Amino acid sequence: MSELDFIYKRKSIRDYKDAVIPKEDILKMLDAATHAPSPKHQQNWHFVVVQDKEIINKMAEAVSKSHEYIASLTKNEDEKKKFMRVLPYYINFQRSSCAILVYANEYKMVEEKILRENNVGEDIIEVMKSTQSAAQGIGAAVENFMLAATAMGYGACYMTGPAHAKKEIEEIINFEKPEYSLMSIISLGVPADETPDSPKRKPLEEVVTFI
């Protein structure tokens, strides 16, 4: 199993040392990310690296404010408390020295154009789009990034929750790329000396079917 250690050692790291990651190391991880499989090789990703701690803190404040607003819409106190309990996971990037913002543009589905030109029903088109190809490409790139981080001795945590404040985050970082939208944030840093073990996975017999 030794040749797969970089996979089995990967875990979500949410506690970091106060250390700056060299730019060349971040670029190595991003290069690994861009070598992920990409549907129709569209490479629909873009990465924004934020190392300015003041900006990172402002991003966390924006996520917290958005989260609290959503919590205020809940129907009862128990539901509100349950929702607020996940907030620390959504702003975990605040504890790291670097936040990687992952953007994606729309997946260009050739099949959709052909079907629409022939007036095929929306139900058939929705089935084809249900594969969420854009998100699948981004997920593959993020996994490559995190495996590279593990192999290089760094820790990372992948989160999509902060995206409910994507508009506010984009204003804070003063970044806009036409047709691209924020998909997720990766916190990146030097892991603390003691971090929790990775949670157990479901047994293979529960998630695998041979035919």
Side-chain angles (χ1 to χ4, degrees):
M1 190 194 297
S2 59
E3 70 272 17
L4 296 180
D5 278 352
F6 70 103
I7 292 177
Y8 293 102
K9 287 182 178 178
R10 190 217 62 79
K11 61 181 181 179
S12 294
I13 301 294
R14 298 183 175 90
D15 195 12
Y16 308 90
K17 295 180 179 179
D18 185 15
V20 176
I21 301 177
K23 181 178 179 179
E24 55 267 29
D25 284 359
I26 297 173
L27 288 172
K28 285 181 181 178
M29 293 176 237
L30 290 171
D31 186 54
T34 63
H35 280 75
S38 173
K40 288 192 175 64
H41 201 53
Q42 291 186 15
Q43 304 179 73
N44 64 315
W45 43 62
H46 187 90
F47 306 91
V48 177
V49 181
V50 181
Q51 294 178 291
D52 187 308
K53 198 63 181 178
E54 183 178 348
I55 292 178
I56 289 175
N57 287 335
K58 287 181 179 178
M59 286 166 46
E61 289 172 9
V63 174
S64 296
K65 186 176 180 180
S66 176
H67 199 90
E68 288 165 0
Y69 168 71
I70 296 172
S72 72
L73 303 177
T74 54
K75 302 300 182 182
N76 56 66
E77 195 62 29
D78 286 343
E79 187 180 11
K80 182 178 182 179
K81 288 180 179 178
K82 184 178 180 180
F83 183 69
M84 287 303 296
R85 277 200 295 269
V86 302
L87 177 58
Y89 298 97
Y90 286 17
I91 59 174
N92 171 253
F93 59 84
Q94 189 176 24
R95 305 177 70 177
S96 64
S97 62
C98 179
I100 311 293
L101 280 62
V102 187
Y103 280 76
N105 69 349
E106 184 179 357
Y107 175 71
K108 297 172 180 63
M109 183 177 286
V110 177
E111 298 92 331
E112 181 178 1
K113 178 178 182 294
I114 295 171
L115 293 174
R116 289 194 183 282
E117 287 176 348
N118 287 276
N119 299 314
V120 173
E122 283 295 325
D123 56 334
I124 296 176
I125 293 174
E126 285 304 310
V127 168
M128 297 195 68
K129 295 175 72 173
S130 67
T131 56
Q132 300 181 43
S133 299
Q136 289 203 44
I138 293 302
V142 169
E143 179 70 356
N144 269 21
F145 181 96
M146 298 185 72
L147 291 176
T150 301
M152 294 171 66
Y154 294 110
C157 185
Y158 171 39
M159 61 206 85
T160 58
H164 63 58
K166 63 173 64 180
K167 181 180 178 181
E168 293 81 358
I169 290 173
E170 288 172 352
E171 290 175 353
I172 291 168
I173 66 175
N174 192 28
F175 175 80
E176 184 177 350
K177 189 172 177 64
E179 298 183 10
Y180 279 73
S181 179
L182 178 64
M183 296 283 283
S184 59
I185 296 178
I186 306 170
S187 60
L188 177 68
V190 177
D193 291 329
E194 298 292 334
T195 57
D197 292 334
S198 179
K200 290 183 178 180
R201 264 46 181 180
K202 294 178 180 180
L204 287 180
E205 56 267 25
E206 189 176 329
V207 299
V208 177
T209 300
F210 279 88
I211 298 177

